[in-house]
Amino acid sequence: IRESLQVVRSRDPRIHRMPFLDAGHKLGAKKEGGGGGSDYHALGAMEVICSSMAKTLQTALRPPDWLRGNYMAVRYEDLVVEPIKTLRQVYSFVNLAVSPEMEKFALNMTSGPGYSSKPFVVSARNATQALSAWRTALSYQQIKQVEEYCHQPMALLGYERVGSPEEVKDLSRTLLKKPWL
């Protein structure tokens, strides 16, 4: 809650607050066991982060002269699916050569023997499994809430919105397309 509150306190007062999708949710209601509205603060933090990301990506699409050619967007999914190619693109962008040790590290971090159902956990594991962890860990309602807050940066980065709970669970269907950047 503390970290979410720090983000929420940085909110631009012009940001429009989206309503909760769950009509039964009580804003600010205290939960049994001391949860105390942590989901409310997390949603506020998500709103701030996605709004900021949308502004950053819009700037990247129409960069001012000083930024043109000095900015590269990299999706996590691209790094996981093609770690060596993506790593080489990033290093080339900053005029560096990738060492064999760094390539080995990237492969280990994305294709290691471990497994984690938790997204964003940094460890040597099969990261392609982590790419879809949100599709099994989050409810359809939660996914729709994220899409409502984050639709602008998602579209710019090439993330498709889900149409049904069945579509979420169909892991054979990718929800990625070519990003605009």
PDB file of all heavy atoms in Angstrom, residues 74-99:
ATOM      1  N   VAL A  74      11.685  -1.075 -26.018  1.00  0.00           N
ATOM      2  CA  VAL A  74      11.882  -2.526 -26.073  1.00  0.00           C
ATOM      3  C   VAL A  74      10.796  -3.185 -25.239  1.00  0.00           C
ATOM      4  O   VAL A  74      10.632  -2.857 -24.065  1.00  0.00           O
ATOM      5  CB  VAL A  74      13.277  -2.932 -25.528  1.00  0.00           C
ATOM      6  CG1 VAL A  74      13.453  -4.443 -25.572  1.00  0.00           C
ATOM      7  CG2 VAL A  74      14.388  -2.236 -26.286  1.00  0.00           C
ATOM      8  N   ARG A  75      10.064  -4.084 -25.861  1.00  0.00           N
ATOM      9  CA  ARG A  75       9.049  -4.830 -25.120  1.00  0.00           C
ATOM     10  C   ARG A  75       9.697  -6.041 -24.451  1.00  0.00           C
ATOM     11  O   ARG A  75      10.565  -6.698 -25.029  1.00  0.00           O
ATOM     12  CB  ARG A  75       7.939  -5.331 -26.041  1.00  0.00           C
ATOM     13  CG  ARG A  75       7.087  -4.253 -26.621  1.00  0.00           C
ATOM     14  CD  ARG A  75       5.893  -4.805 -27.343  1.00  0.00           C
ATOM     15  NE  ARG A  75       6.259  -5.782 -28.368  1.00  0.00           N
ATOM     16  CZ  ARG A  75       5.408  -6.286 -29.249  1.00  0.00           C
ATOM     17  NH1 ARG A  75       4.150  -5.913 -29.242  1.00  0.00           N
ATOM     18  NH2 ARG A  75       5.798  -7.163 -30.138  1.00  0.00           N
ATOM     19  N   TYR A  76       9.246  -6.344 -23.265  1.00  0.00           N
ATOM     20  CA  TYR A  76       9.713  -7.517 -22.534  1.00  0.00           C
ATOM     21  C   TYR A  76       9.504  -8.782 -23.373  1.00  0.00           C
ATOM     22  O   TYR A  76      10.376  -9.645 -23.457  1.00  0.00           O
ATOM     23  CB  TYR A  76       8.954  -7.616 -21.204  1.00  0.00           C
ATOM     24  CG  TYR A  76       9.243  -8.865 -20.411  1.00  0.00           C
ATOM     25  CD1 TYR A  76      10.477  -9.054 -19.796  1.00  0.00           C
ATOM     26  CD2 TYR A  76       8.271  -9.860 -20.272  1.00  0.00           C
ATOM     27  CE1 TYR A  76      10.744 -10.197 -19.049  1.00  0.00           C
ATOM     28  CE2 TYR A  76       8.519 -11.001 -19.529  1.00  0.00           C
ATOM     29  CZ  TYR A  76       9.759 -11.170 -18.931  1.00  0.00           C
ATOM     30  OH  TYR A  76      10.014 -12.298 -18.200  1.00  0.00           O
ATOM     31  N   GLU A  77       8.353  -8.882 -24.025  1.00  0.00           N
ATOM     32  CA  GLU A  77       8.037 -10.058 -24.825  1.00  0.00           C
ATOM     33  C   GLU A  77       9.041 -10.270 -25.949  1.00  0.00           C
ATOM     34  O   GLU A  77       9.402 -11.405 -26.256  1.00  0.00           O
ATOM     35  CB  GLU A  77       6.618  -9.950 -25.409  1.00  0.00           C
ATOM     36  CG  GLU A  77       5.527 -10.028 -24.376  1.00  0.00           C
ATOM     37  CD  GLU A  77       5.245  -8.702 -23.673  1.00  0.00           C
ATOM     38  OE1 GLU A  77       5.944  -7.704 -23.940  1.00  0.00           O
ATOM     39  OE2 GLU A  77       4.327  -8.663 -22.841  1.00  0.00           O
ATOM     40  N   ASP A  78       9.494  -9.184 -26.574  1.00  0.00           N
ATOM     41  CA  ASP A  78      10.479  -9.316 -27.647  1.00  0.00           C
ATOM     42  C   ASP A  78      11.806  -9.823 -27.107  1.00  0.00           C
ATOM     43  O   ASP A  78      12.481 -10.635 -27.739  1.00  0.00           O
ATOM     44  CB  ASP A  78      10.669  -7.975 -28.362  1.00  0.00           C
ATOM     45  CG  ASP A  78       9.393  -7.510 -29.044  1.00  0.00           C
ATOM     46  OD1 ASP A  78       8.599  -8.372 -29.485  1.00  0.00           O
ATOM     47  OD2 ASP A  78       9.174  -6.292 -29.124  1.00  0.00           O
ATOM     48  N   LEU A  79      12.176  -9.346 -25.930  1.00  0.00           N
ATOM     49  CA  LEU A  79      13.411  -9.805 -25.291  1.00  0.00           C
ATOM     50  C   LEU A  79      13.319 -11.288 -24.936  1.00  0.00           C
ATOM     51  O   LEU A  79      14.282 -12.031 -25.084  1.00  0.00           O
ATOM     52  CB  LEU A  79      13.707  -8.968 -24.047  1.00  0.00           C
ATOM     53  CG  LEU A  79      15.032  -9.227 -23.350  1.00  0.00           C
ATOM     54  CD1 LEU A  79      16.209  -8.991 -24.277  1.00  0.00           C
ATOM     55  CD2 LEU A  79      15.158  -8.366 -22.114  1.00  0.00           C
ATOM     56  N   VAL A  80      12.152 -11.739 -24.508  1.00  0.00           N
ATOM     57  CA  VAL A  80      11.971 -13.143 -24.134  1.00  0.00           C
ATOM     58  C   VAL A  80      11.927 -14.043 -25.364  1.00  0.00           C
ATOM     59  O   VAL A  80      12.567 -15.082 -25.402  1.00  0.00           O
ATOM     60  CB  VAL A  80      10.681 -13.315 -23.295  1.00  0.00           C
ATOM     61  CG1 VAL A  80      10.298 -14.782 -23.160  1.00  0.00           C
ATOM     62  CG2 VAL A  80      10.866 -12.685 -21.938  1.00  0.00           C
ATOM     63  N   VAL A  81      11.174 -13.648 -26.373  1.00  0.00           N
ATOM     64  CA  VAL A  81      10.994 -14.494 -27.558  1.00  0.00           C
ATOM     65  C   VAL A  81      12.262 -14.549 -28.401  1.00  0.00           C
ATOM     66  O   VAL A  81      12.628 -15.610 -28.911  1.00  0.00           O
ATOM     67  CB  VAL A  81       9.788 -14.008 -28.391  1.00  0.00           C
ATOM     68  CG1 VAL A  81       9.685 -14.765 -29.704  1.00  0.00           C
ATOM     69  CG2 VAL A  81       8.501 -14.170 -27.582  1.00  0.00           C
ATOM     70  N   GLU A  82      12.941 -13.432 -28.543  1.00  0.00           N
ATOM     71  CA  GLU A  82      14.181 -13.375 -29.325  1.00  0.00           C
ATOM     72  C   GLU A  82      15.253 -12.644 -28.517  1.00  0.00           C
ATOM     73  O   GLU A  82      15.616 -11.506 -28.844  1.00  0.00           O
ATOM     74  CB  GLU A  82      13.938 -12.659 -30.653  1.00  0.00           C
ATOM     75  CG  GLU A  82      12.957 -13.379 -31.558  1.00  0.00           C
ATOM     76  CD  GLU A  82      12.833 -12.720 -32.906  1.00  0.00           C
ATOM     77  OE1 GLU A  82      12.299 -11.588 -32.957  1.00  0.00           O
ATOM     78  OE2 GLU A  82      13.283 -13.320 -33.892  1.00  0.00           O
ATOM     79  N   PRO A  83      15.764 -13.273 -27.467  1.00  0.00           N
ATOM     80  CA  PRO A  83      16.674 -12.571 -26.556  1.00  0.00           C
ATOM     81  C   PRO A  83      17.964 -12.092 -27.210  1.00  0.00           C
ATOM     82  O   PRO A  83      18.363 -10.941 -26.984  1.00  0.00           O
ATOM     83  CB  PRO A  83      16.952 -13.588 -25.446  1.00  0.00           C
ATOM     84  CG  PRO A  83      16.585 -14.907 -26.000  1.00  0.00           C
ATOM     85  CD  PRO A  83      15.526 -14.654 -27.032  1.00  0.00           C
ATOM     86  N   ILE A  84      18.605 -12.902 -28.016  1.00  0.00           N
ATOM     87  CA  ILE A  84      19.880 -12.509 -28.616  1.00  0.00           C
ATOM     88  C   ILE A  84      19.663 -11.397 -29.644  1.00  0.00           C
ATOM     89  O   ILE A  84      20.368 -10.384 -29.624  1.00  0.00           O
ATOM     90  CB  ILE A  84      20.605 -13.719 -29.257  1.00  0.00           C
ATOM     91  CG1 ILE A  84      20.872 -14.799 -28.208  1.00  0.00           C
ATOM     92  CG2 ILE A  84      21.890 -13.284 -29.944  1.00  0.00           C
ATOM     93  CD1 ILE A  84      21.717 -14.342 -27.032  1.00  0.00           C
ATOM     94  N   LYS A  85      18.678 -11.561 -30.501  1.00  0.00           N
ATOM     95  CA  LYS A  85      18.387 -10.534 -31.515  1.00  0.00           C
ATOM     96  C   LYS A  85      18.054  -9.201 -30.854  1.00  0.00           C
ATOM     97  O   LYS A  85      18.591  -8.148 -31.236  1.00  0.00           O
ATOM     98  CB  LYS A  85      17.220 -10.993 -32.398  1.00  0.00           C
ATOM     99  CG  LYS A  85      16.801  -9.968 -33.423  1.00  0.00           C
ATOM    100  CD  LYS A  85      15.601 -10.435 -34.212  1.00  0.00           C
ATOM    101  CE  LYS A  85      15.111  -9.340 -35.140  1.00  0.00           C
ATOM    102  NZ  LYS A  85      13.848  -9.698 -35.785  1.00  0.00           N
ATOM    103  N   THR A  86      17.183  -9.230 -29.844  1.00  0.00           N
ATOM    104  CA  THR A  86      16.774  -7.996 -29.180  1.00  0.00           C
ATOM    105  C   THR A  86      17.935  -7.371 -28.424  1.00  0.00           C
ATOM    106  O   THR A  86      18.143  -6.153 -28.475  1.00  0.00           O
ATOM    107  CB  THR A  86      15.584  -8.264 -28.243  1.00  0.00           C
ATOM    108  OG1 THR A  86      14.536  -8.903 -28.983  1.00  0.00           O
ATOM    109  CG2 THR A  86      15.069  -6.981 -27.624  1.00  0.00           C
ATOM    110  N   LEU A  87      18.710  -8.191 -27.732  1.00  0.00           N
ATOM    111  CA  LEU A  87      19.878  -7.702 -27.002  1.00  0.00           C
ATOM    112  C   LEU A  87      20.870  -7.036 -27.958  1.00  0.00           C
ATOM    113  O   LEU A  87      21.388  -5.948 -27.679  1.00  0.00           O
ATOM    114  CB  LEU A  87      20.548  -8.845 -26.249  1.00  0.00           C
ATOM    115  CG  LEU A  87      21.685  -8.482 -25.311  1.00  0.00           C
ATOM    116  CD1 LEU A  87      21.176  -7.617 -24.165  1.00  0.00           C
ATOM    117  CD2 LEU A  87      22.341  -9.743 -24.769  1.00  0.00           C
ATOM    118  N   ARG A  88      21.095  -7.656 -29.092  1.00  0.00           N
ATOM    119  CA  ARG A  88      22.013  -7.073 -30.088  1.00  0.00           C
ATOM    120  C   ARG A  88      21.483  -5.746 -30.627  1.00  0.00           C
ATOM    121  O   ARG A  88      22.255  -4.817 -30.856  1.00  0.00           O
ATOM    122  CB  ARG A  88      22.253  -8.065 -31.227  1.00  0.00           C
ATOM    123  CG  ARG A  88      23.147  -9.221 -30.817  1.00  0.00           C
ATOM    124  CD  ARG A  88      23.332 -10.215 -31.934  1.00  0.00           C
ATOM    125  NE  ARG A  88      24.198 -11.316 -31.508  1.00  0.00           N
ATOM    126  CZ  ARG A  88      24.361 -12.434 -32.181  1.00  0.00           C
ATOM    127  NH1 ARG A  88      23.705 -12.627 -33.328  1.00  0.00           N
ATOM    128  NH2 ARG A  88      25.158 -13.367 -31.719  1.00  0.00           N
ATOM    129  N   GLN A  89      20.161  -5.647 -30.821  1.00  0.00           N
ATOM    130  CA  GLN A  89      19.572  -4.381 -31.280  1.00  0.00           C
ATOM    131  C   GLN A  89      19.786  -3.275 -30.250  1.00  0.00           C
ATOM    132  O   GLN A  89      20.129  -2.146 -30.604  1.00  0.00           O
ATOM    133  CB  GLN A  89      18.076  -4.554 -31.568  1.00  0.00           C
ATOM    134  CG  GLN A  89      17.775  -5.366 -32.788  1.00  0.00           C
ATOM    135  CD  GLN A  89      16.287  -5.666 -32.927  1.00  0.00           C
ATOM    136  OE1 GLN A  89      15.532  -5.658 -31.952  1.00  0.00           O
ATOM    137  NE2 GLN A  89      15.869  -5.950 -34.147  1.00  0.00           N
ATOM    138  N   VAL A  90      19.579  -3.605 -28.981  1.00  0.00           N
ATOM    139  CA  VAL A  90      19.756  -2.615 -27.915  1.00  0.00           C
ATOM    140  C   VAL A  90      21.219  -2.182 -27.846  1.00  0.00           C
ATOM    141  O   VAL A  90      21.524  -0.990 -27.796  1.00  0.00           O
ATOM    142  CB  VAL A  90      19.270  -3.158 -26.552  1.00  0.00           C
ATOM    143  CG1 VAL A  90      19.670  -2.237 -25.412  1.00  0.00           C
ATOM    144  CG2 VAL A  90      17.757  -3.375 -26.573  1.00  0.00           C
ATOM    145  N   TYR A  91      22.126  -3.136 -27.828  1.00  0.00           N
ATOM    146  CA  TYR A  91      23.548  -2.814 -27.760  1.00  0.00           C
ATOM    147  C   TYR A  91      23.989  -2.010 -28.991  1.00  0.00           C
ATOM    148  O   TYR A  91      24.753  -1.058 -28.871  1.00  0.00           O
ATOM    149  CB  TYR A  91      24.386  -4.089 -27.615  1.00  0.00           C
ATOM    150  CG  TYR A  91      24.635  -4.482 -26.181  1.00  0.00           C
ATOM    151  CD1 TYR A  91      23.589  -4.825 -25.341  1.00  0.00           C
ATOM    152  CD2 TYR A  91      25.924  -4.503 -25.670  1.00  0.00           C
ATOM    153  CE1 TYR A  91      23.812  -5.179 -24.026  1.00  0.00           C
ATOM    154  CE2 TYR A  91      26.163  -4.860 -24.356  1.00  0.00           C
ATOM    155  CZ  TYR A  91      25.099  -5.193 -23.535  1.00  0.00           C
ATOM    156  OH  TYR A  91      25.327  -5.543 -22.229  1.00  0.00           O
ATOM    157  N   SER A  92      23.506  -2.389 -30.159  1.00  0.00           N
ATOM    158  CA  SER A  92      23.833  -1.651 -31.379  1.00  0.00           C
ATOM    159  C   SER A  92      23.322  -0.214 -31.298  1.00  0.00           C
ATOM    160  O   SER A  92      24.005   0.717 -31.733  1.00  0.00           O
ATOM    161  CB  SER A  92      23.227  -2.361 -32.591  1.00  0.00           C
ATOM    162  OG  SER A  92      23.433  -1.627 -33.757  1.00  0.00           O
ATOM    163  N   PHE A  93      22.142  -0.046 -30.732  1.00  0.00           N
ATOM    164  CA  PHE A  93      21.554   1.283 -30.601  1.00  0.00           C
ATOM    165  C   PHE A  93      22.461   2.222 -29.804  1.00  0.00           C
ATOM    166  O   PHE A  93      22.533   3.414 -30.084  1.00  0.00           O
ATOM    167  CB  PHE A  93      20.177   1.176 -29.940  1.00  0.00           C
ATOM    168  CG  PHE A  93      19.455   2.488 -29.820  1.00  0.00           C
ATOM    169  CD1 PHE A  93      18.835   3.051 -30.920  1.00  0.00           C
ATOM    170  CD2 PHE A  93      19.405   3.165 -28.612  1.00  0.00           C
ATOM    171  CE1 PHE A  93      18.172   4.266 -30.821  1.00  0.00           C
ATOM    172  CE2 PHE A  93      18.753   4.373 -28.497  1.00  0.00           C
ATOM    173  CZ  PHE A  93      18.129   4.919 -29.607  1.00  0.00           C
ATOM    174  N   VAL A  94      23.161   1.666 -28.802  1.00  0.00           N
ATOM    175  CA  VAL A  94      24.055   2.492 -27.982  1.00  0.00           C
ATOM    176  C   VAL A  94      25.524   2.298 -28.385  1.00  0.00           C
ATOM    177  O   VAL A  94      26.440   2.619 -27.623  1.00  0.00           O
ATOM    178  CB  VAL A  94      23.858   2.220 -26.466  1.00  0.00           C
ATOM    179  CG1 VAL A  94      22.484   2.681 -26.022  1.00  0.00           C
ATOM    180  CG2 VAL A  94      24.097   0.774 -26.111  1.00  0.00           C
ATOM    181  N   ASN A  95      25.720   1.767 -29.594  1.00  0.00           N
ATOM    182  CA  ASN A  95      27.059   1.598 -30.173  1.00  0.00           C
ATOM    183  C   ASN A  95      27.992   0.740 -29.322  1.00  0.00           C
ATOM    184  O   ASN A  95      29.149   1.090 -29.101  1.00  0.00           O
ATOM    185  CB  ASN A  95      27.710   2.956 -30.465  1.00  0.00           C
ATOM    186  CG  ASN A  95      26.952   3.736 -31.510  1.00  0.00           C
ATOM    187  OD1 ASN A  95      26.544   3.179 -32.533  1.00  0.00           O
ATOM    188  ND2 ASN A  95      26.733   5.009 -31.248  1.00  0.00           N
ATOM    189  N   LEU A  96      27.467  -0.376 -28.843  1.00  0.00           N
ATOM    190  CA  LEU A  96      28.277  -1.332 -28.095  1.00  0.00           C
ATOM    191  C   LEU A  96      28.158  -2.708 -28.744  1.00  0.00           C
ATOM    192  O   LEU A  96      27.183  -2.996 -29.437  1.00  0.00           O
ATOM    193  CB  LEU A  96      27.815  -1.429 -26.637  1.00  0.00           C
ATOM    194  CG  LEU A  96      28.011  -0.195 -25.764  1.00  0.00           C
ATOM    195  CD1 LEU A  96      27.348  -0.407 -24.402  1.00  0.00           C
ATOM    196  CD2 LEU A  96      29.482   0.123 -25.596  1.00  0.00           C
ATOM    197  N   ALA A  97      29.142  -3.552 -28.491  1.00  0.00           N
ATOM    198  CA  ALA A  97      29.094  -4.935 -28.949  1.00  0.00           C
ATOM    199  C   ALA A  97      28.681  -5.814 -27.772  1.00  0.00           C
ATOM    200  O   ALA A  97      29.109  -5.592 -26.642  1.00  0.00           O
ATOM    201  CB  ALA A  97      30.461  -5.366 -29.472  1.00  0.00           C
ATOM    202  N   VAL A  98      27.856  -6.802 -28.060  1.00  0.00           N
ATOM    203  CA  VAL A  98      27.396  -7.718 -27.017  1.00  0.00           C
ATOM    204  C   VAL A  98      28.475  -8.777 -26.796  1.00  0.00           C
ATOM    205  O   VAL A  98      28.942  -9.398 -27.735  1.00  0.00           O
ATOM    206  CB  VAL A  98      26.081  -8.409 -27.423  1.00  0.00           C
ATOM    207  CG1 VAL A  98      25.604  -9.341 -26.317  1.00  0.00           C
ATOM    208  CG2 VAL A  98      25.019  -7.408 -27.762  1.00  0.00           C
ATOM    209  N   SER A  99      28.844  -8.959 -25.547  1.00  0.00           N
ATOM    210  CA  SER A  99      29.843  -9.989 -25.234  1.00  0.00           C
ATOM    211  C   SER A  99      29.167 -11.364 -25.211  1.00  0.00           C
ATOM    212  O   SER A  99      27.965 -11.468 -24.960  1.00  0.00           O
ATOM    213  CB  SER A  99      30.476  -9.714 -23.866  1.00  0.00           C
ATOM    214  OG  SER A  99      29.522  -9.933 -22.847  1.00  0.00           O
TER     215      SER A  99
END
